[in-house]
Amino acid sequence: VDSVYEQLTLDERIAQCFMLPAYTAGKDYNMDTVLRLISEGKAGGVIFFKGNPTAQVNWTNKIQEAAKVKIMVAIDGEWGLSMRIDSTIVYPKQMALGALAHNELIFEMGKQIGKQCKRMGIHVNFAPSVDVNNNPKNPVINDRSFGENKYKVTDKAIQYMRGMQSQGILACAKHFPGHGDTETDSHYDLPVINKSLQQLEETELFPFRKIFKEHAGSVMVAHLYLPQLDTSSRIA
Protein backbone atom coordinates (compact mmCIF):
# COMPACT_ATOMS: atom_id res chain seq x y z
CA VAL A 1 0.00 0.00 0.00
CA ASP A 2 2.74 2.46 0.94
CA SER A 3 4.70 1.87 -2.27
CA VAL A 4 1.59 2.50 -4.41
CA TYR A 5 0.59 5.54 -2.36
CA GLU A 6 4.03 7.12 -2.76
CA GLN A 7 3.69 6.98 -6.55
CA LEU A 8 0.43 8.97 -6.57
CA THR A 9 0.13 12.71 -7.01
CA LEU A 10 -1.76 14.74 -4.42
CA ASP A 11 -4.82 14.90 -6.69
CA GLU A 12 -4.71 11.13 -7.21
CA ARG A 13 -4.50 10.56 -3.47
CA ILE A 14 -7.55 12.75 -2.91
CA ALA A 15 -9.37 10.89 -5.69
CA GLN A 16 -8.96 7.63 -3.80
CA CYS A 17 -11.51 8.97 -1.28
CA PHE A 18 -14.26 9.18 -3.91
CA MET A 19 -16.60 6.41 -5.07
CA LEU A 20 -18.62 6.92 -8.25
CA PRO A 21 -22.23 5.75 -8.67
CA ALA A 22 -22.40 3.39 -11.65
CA TYR A 23 -25.53 2.46 -13.63
CA THR A 24 -25.09 -0.14 -16.37
CA ALA A 25 -28.72 0.11 -17.54
CA GLY A 26 -31.81 2.30 -17.49
CA LYS A 27 -32.33 6.06 -17.74
CA ASP A 28 -29.43 6.76 -15.38
CA TYR A 29 -26.89 4.86 -17.50
CA ASN A 30 -23.53 6.61 -17.05
CA MET A 31 -20.79 4.06 -17.67
CA ASP A 32 -19.03 6.06 -20.37
CA THR A 33 -18.58 8.90 -17.89
CA VAL A 34 -17.48 6.48 -15.14
CA LEU A 35 -14.87 4.94 -17.44
CA ARG A 36 -13.52 8.35 -18.40
CA LEU A 37 -13.23 9.54 -14.79
CA ILE A 38 -11.55 6.30 -13.72
CA SER A 39 -9.06 6.47 -16.60
CA GLU A 40 -8.28 10.08 -15.62
CA GLY A 41 -7.55 8.97 -12.04
CA LYS A 42 -10.41 10.94 -10.51
CA ALA A 43 -11.95 8.22 -8.30
CA GLY A 44 -10.86 5.29 -6.18
CA GLY A 45 -14.01 3.21 -6.34
CA VAL A 46 -17.40 2.58 -7.87
CA ILE A 47 -20.71 1.50 -6.39
CA PHE A 48 -22.93 -0.30 -8.87
CA PHE A 49 -26.65 0.41 -8.88
CA LYS A 50 -29.24 -0.65 -11.47
CA GLY A 51 -28.05 -3.09 -14.12
CA ASN A 52 -27.66 -6.70 -15.16
CA PRO A 53 -24.93 -9.22 -14.32
CA THR A 54 -23.30 -9.50 -17.75
CA ALA A 55 -23.08 -5.76 -18.30
CA GLN A 56 -21.75 -5.16 -14.79
CA VAL A 57 -18.99 -7.77 -15.12
CA ASN A 58 -17.96 -6.39 -18.52
CA TRP A 59 -17.82 -2.84 -17.21
CA THR A 60 -15.97 -3.92 -14.07
CA ASN A 61 -13.27 -5.46 -16.25
CA LYS A 62 -13.08 -2.33 -18.40
CA ILE A 63 -12.69 0.10 -15.52
CA GLN A 64 -10.17 -2.11 -13.72
CA GLU A 65 -8.07 -2.26 -16.88
CA ALA A 66 -8.27 1.53 -17.26
CA ALA A 67 -7.38 2.34 -13.64
CA LYS A 68 -3.86 3.26 -12.55
CA VAL A 69 -4.72 1.92 -9.09
CA LYS A 70 -7.17 -0.96 -8.94
CA ILE A 71 -10.70 0.23 -8.15
CA MET A 72 -12.66 -0.81 -5.07
CA VAL A 73 -16.02 -2.15 -6.30
CA ALA A 74 -19.08 -1.96 -4.07
CA ILE A 75 -22.78 -2.70 -4.13
CA ASP A 76 -25.66 -1.94 -1.80
CA GLY A 77 -27.16 -5.41 -1.63
CA GLU A 78 -28.87 -5.93 1.71
CA TRP A 79 -30.97 -8.82 0.38
CA GLY A 80 -28.34 -9.92 -2.11
CA LEU A 81 -27.35 -8.79 -5.59
CA SER A 82 -31.03 -8.70 -6.58
CA MET A 83 -31.45 -5.45 -4.67
CA ARG A 84 -29.60 -3.83 -7.59
CA ILE A 85 -29.05 -6.38 -10.35
CA ASP A 86 -31.74 -8.25 -12.27
CA SER A 87 -31.67 -12.01 -12.94
CA THR A 88 -30.05 -12.78 -9.57
CA ILE A 89 -31.18 -14.64 -6.44
CA VAL A 90 -33.63 -12.78 -4.20
CA TYR A 91 -32.97 -13.38 -0.50
CA PRO A 92 -35.36 -12.39 2.32
CA LYS A 93 -35.24 -8.90 3.73
CA GLN A 94 -33.84 -8.56 7.23
CA MET A 95 -37.19 -8.31 9.00
CA ALA A 96 -38.10 -11.76 7.65
CA LEU A 97 -34.71 -13.07 8.76
CA GLY A 98 -35.47 -11.67 12.20
CA ALA A 99 -38.12 -14.36 12.57
CA LEU A 100 -35.64 -17.20 12.00
CA ALA A 101 -34.83 -19.34 15.02
CA HIS A 102 -31.53 -20.62 13.62
CA ASN A 103 -28.95 -17.91 13.04
CA GLU A 104 -26.60 -20.32 11.27
CA LEU A 105 -28.94 -20.02 8.28
CA ILE A 106 -28.16 -16.30 8.15
CA PHE A 107 -24.45 -17.13 8.16
CA GLU A 108 -25.03 -19.43 5.18
CA MET A 109 -26.98 -16.72 3.37
CA GLY A 110 -24.17 -14.25 3.96
CA LYS A 111 -21.69 -16.82 2.69
CA GLN A 112 -23.65 -17.35 -0.54
CA ILE A 113 -24.04 -13.60 -1.09
CA GLY A 114 -20.29 -13.29 -0.53
CA LYS A 115 -19.58 -15.93 -3.18
CA GLN A 116 -21.85 -14.15 -5.66
CA CYS A 117 -20.18 -10.80 -4.95
CA LYS A 118 -16.75 -12.33 -5.52
CA ARG A 119 -17.88 -13.81 -8.83
CA MET A 120 -19.03 -10.34 -9.91
CA GLY A 121 -15.75 -8.67 -8.95
CA ILE A 122 -17.32 -6.87 -5.98
CA HIS A 123 -15.18 -6.20 -2.90
CA VAL A 124 -17.64 -4.69 -0.41
CA ASN A 125 -21.37 -5.10 0.16
CA PHE A 126 -23.06 -2.32 2.11
CA ALA A 127 -24.83 -4.71 4.47
CA PRO A 128 -26.04 -5.61 7.03
CA SER A 129 -28.27 -2.99 8.56
CA VAL A 130 -27.74 -3.07 12.32
CA ASP A 131 -30.40 -0.47 13.05
CA VAL A 132 -32.78 -1.34 15.87
CA ASN A 133 -36.23 -0.70 14.41
CA ASN A 134 -37.72 0.83 17.55
CA ASN A 135 -40.05 3.30 15.84
CA PRO A 136 -43.06 1.79 14.02
CA LYS A 137 -43.44 4.99 11.98
CA ASN A 138 -39.97 4.65 10.46
CA PRO A 139 -40.39 5.13 6.69
CA VAL A 140 -36.93 4.08 5.55
CA ILE A 141 -35.53 1.31 7.81
CA ASN A 142 -38.62 -0.76 8.61
CA ASP A 143 -38.24 -4.21 6.97
CA ARG A 144 -34.53 -3.55 6.39
CA SER A 145 -33.98 -4.14 10.13
CA PHE A 146 -33.81 -7.49 11.91
CA GLY A 147 -36.32 -6.12 14.41
CA GLU A 148 -36.87 -4.06 17.54
CA ASN A 149 -34.85 -6.28 19.91
CA LYS A 150 -31.24 -5.10 20.16
CA TYR A 151 -29.95 -8.57 21.06
CA LYS A 152 -31.65 -10.19 18.08
CA VAL A 153 -30.41 -7.45 15.76
CA THR A 154 -26.87 -7.88 17.05
CA ASP A 155 -26.71 -11.67 16.82
CA LYS A 156 -28.21 -11.89 13.34
CA ALA A 157 -26.18 -8.99 11.93
CA ILE A 158 -22.96 -10.59 13.15
CA GLN A 159 -23.84 -13.87 11.44
CA TYR A 160 -24.61 -12.10 8.16
CA MET A 161 -21.32 -10.21 8.42
CA ARG A 162 -19.31 -13.33 9.24
CA GLY A 163 -20.82 -15.20 6.32
CA MET A 164 -19.83 -12.56 3.79
CA GLN A 165 -16.40 -11.96 5.25
CA SER A 166 -15.67 -15.70 5.25
CA GLN A 167 -15.57 -15.27 1.46
CA GLY A 168 -13.30 -12.23 1.55
CA ILE A 169 -16.09 -9.70 0.97
CA LEU A 170 -16.11 -6.69 3.28
CA ALA A 171 -19.34 -6.22 5.21
CA CYS A 172 -20.59 -2.77 6.22
CA ALA A 173 -22.44 -2.07 9.48
CA LYS A 174 -25.05 0.64 8.93
CA HIS A 175 -26.49 3.20 9.57
CA PHE A 176 -24.25 4.50 12.37
CA PRO A 177 -25.07 5.60 15.04
CA GLY A 178 -28.54 4.12 14.45
CA HIS A 179 -31.39 5.07 12.10
CA GLY A 180 -34.18 3.04 13.69
CA ASP A 181 -35.88 5.72 15.79
CA THR A 182 -36.76 8.22 13.06
CA GLU A 183 -39.97 9.24 11.32
CA THR A 184 -38.19 10.95 8.42
CA ASP A 185 -36.65 9.41 5.32
CA SER A 186 -33.05 10.62 5.31
CA HIS A 187 -32.89 10.30 1.52
CA TYR A 188 -35.13 13.38 1.33
CA ASP A 189 -34.67 15.28 4.60
CA LEU A 190 -32.46 15.39 7.69
CA PRO A 191 -33.94 13.36 10.56
CA VAL A 192 -33.30 14.57 14.10
CA ILE A 193 -32.87 12.06 16.92
CA ASN A 194 -33.55 13.76 20.24
CA LYS A 195 -32.38 11.10 22.67
CA SER A 196 -29.91 11.26 25.51
CA LEU A 197 -26.47 9.73 25.19
CA GLN A 198 -27.51 7.15 27.76
CA GLN A 199 -30.49 6.12 25.62
CA LEU A 200 -28.26 5.86 22.55
CA GLU A 201 -25.77 3.74 24.46
CA GLU A 202 -28.48 1.42 25.74
CA THR A 203 -30.13 0.76 22.38
CA GLU A 204 -28.86 2.30 19.13
CA LEU A 205 -25.12 1.94 19.75
CA PHE A 206 -25.33 -1.53 21.31
CA PRO A 207 -25.24 -3.60 18.08
CA PHE A 208 -22.55 -1.37 16.56
CA ARG A 209 -20.21 -1.90 19.50
CA LYS A 210 -20.71 -5.66 19.29
CA ILE A 211 -20.23 -5.98 15.53
CA PHE A 212 -17.13 -3.76 15.64
CA LYS A 213 -15.62 -6.13 18.21
CA GLU A 214 -16.28 -8.96 15.74
CA HIS A 215 -14.20 -7.12 13.11
CA ALA A 216 -16.80 -5.80 10.71
CA GLY A 217 -14.95 -4.65 7.59
CA SER A 218 -16.48 -1.17 7.40
CA VAL A 219 -19.18 1.13 8.75
CA MET A 220 -21.58 3.51 7.02
CA VAL A 221 -22.40 6.78 8.78
CA ALA A 222 -26.02 7.89 8.51
CA HIS A 223 -27.11 11.36 7.42
CA LEU A 224 -28.78 12.22 10.70
CA TYR A 225 -28.68 15.12 13.15
CA LEU A 226 -27.94 14.14 16.73
CA PRO A 227 -27.65 17.37 18.78
CA GLN A 228 -26.32 15.45 21.79
CA LEU A 229 -23.27 14.44 19.72
CA ASP A 230 -22.76 17.47 17.49
CA THR A 231 -24.12 20.96 18.04
CA SER A 232 -22.58 22.47 14.91
CA SER A 233 -25.44 21.57 12.55
CA ARG A 234 -27.99 24.21 11.69
CA ILE A 235 -31.46 23.16 10.60
CA ALA A 236 -33.68 25.64 8.81
Side-chain angles (χ1 to χ4, degrees):
V1 172
D2 290 341
S3 63
V4 173
Y5 183 78
E6 290 301 322
Q7 296 174 20
L8 300 180
T9 66
L10 178 59
D11 284 349
E12 289 172 334
R13 293 175 184 180
I14 294 171
Q16 289 299 305
C17 299
F18 290 87
M19 182 171 277
L20 301 172
Y23 295 82
T24 63
K27 63 180 178 63
D28 295 315
Y29 171 86
N30 67 339
M31 294 311 303
D32 297 324
T33 301
V34 169
L35 180 61
R36 176 178 59 81
L37 292 173
I38 292 296
S39 63
E40 293 174 354
K42 294 182 177 177
V46 296
I47 173 171
F48 280 101
F49 288 101
K50 184 176 180 180
N52 66 76
T54 302
Q56 182 165 319
V57 168
N58 288 337
W59 277 109
T60 297
N61 291 337
K62 286 181 182 179
I63 62 178
Q64 292 291 21
E65 290 171 4
K68 179 179 178 180
V69 179
K70 292 305 179 184
I71 296 299
M72 174 172 276
V73 179
I75 195 168
D76 193 0
E78 295 170 20
W79 50 92
L81 300 181
S82 64
M83 184 170 170
R84 303 297 177 185
I85 309 173
D86 63 30
S87 310
T88 55
I89 296 172
V90 181
Y91 291 94
K93 292 186 179 180
Q94 289 188 189
M95 181 176 284
L97 297 174
L100 282 178
H102 303 291
N103 288 344
E104 62 269 22
L105 295 175
I106 299 176
F107 175 90
E108 289 298 327
M109 184 196 77
K111 184 177 178 180
Q112 292 304 315
I113 292 174
K115 287 182 178 180
Q116 292 158 21
C117 286
K118 184 182 294 185
R119 191 175 183 187
M120 294 289 295
I122 295 167
H123 306 114
V124 56
N125 183 15
F126 292 141
S129 166
V130 299
D131 301 299
V132 180
N133 195 49
N134 50 352
N135 188 332
K137 295 182 179 179
N138 196 313
V140 64
I141 301 302
N142 206 301
D143 58 5
R144 298 166 63 197
S145 167
F146 287 110
E148 74 284 353
N149 183 294
K150 66 181 181 181
Y151 301 104
K152 177 194 292 185
V153 169
T154 300
D155 293 344
K156 294 178 184 296
I158 287 173
Q159 290 304 314
Y160 188 176
M161 176 270 290
R162 284 177 175 168
M164 282 196 296
Q165 294 193 171
S166 74
Q167 302 305 303
I169 303 301
L170 292 174
C172 181
K174 65 185 190 184
H175 306 81
F176 185 83
H179 203 323
D181 195 5
T182 67
E183 296 182 17
T184 302
D185 187 338
S186 56
H187 295 99
Y188 305 106
D189 205 346
L190 182 65
V192 180
I193 299 182
N194 287 307
K195 304 181 83 165
S196 69
L197 282 174
Q198 181 179 351
Q199 289 174 311
L200 290 174
E201 289 282 357
E202 289 176 353
T203 304
E204 278 77 10
L205 290 172
F206 181 86
F208 285 100
R209 291 191 185 280
K210 295 292 185 180
I211 202 168
F212 292 163
K213 288 181 179 179
E214 295 295 327
H215 309 293
S218 62
V219 58
M220 181 187 293
V221 177
H223 24 110
L224 304 170
Y225 177 42
L226 291 91
Q228 66 280 64
L229 298 179
D230 182 5
T231 59
S232 64
S233 179
R234 289 179 173 80
I235 303 176

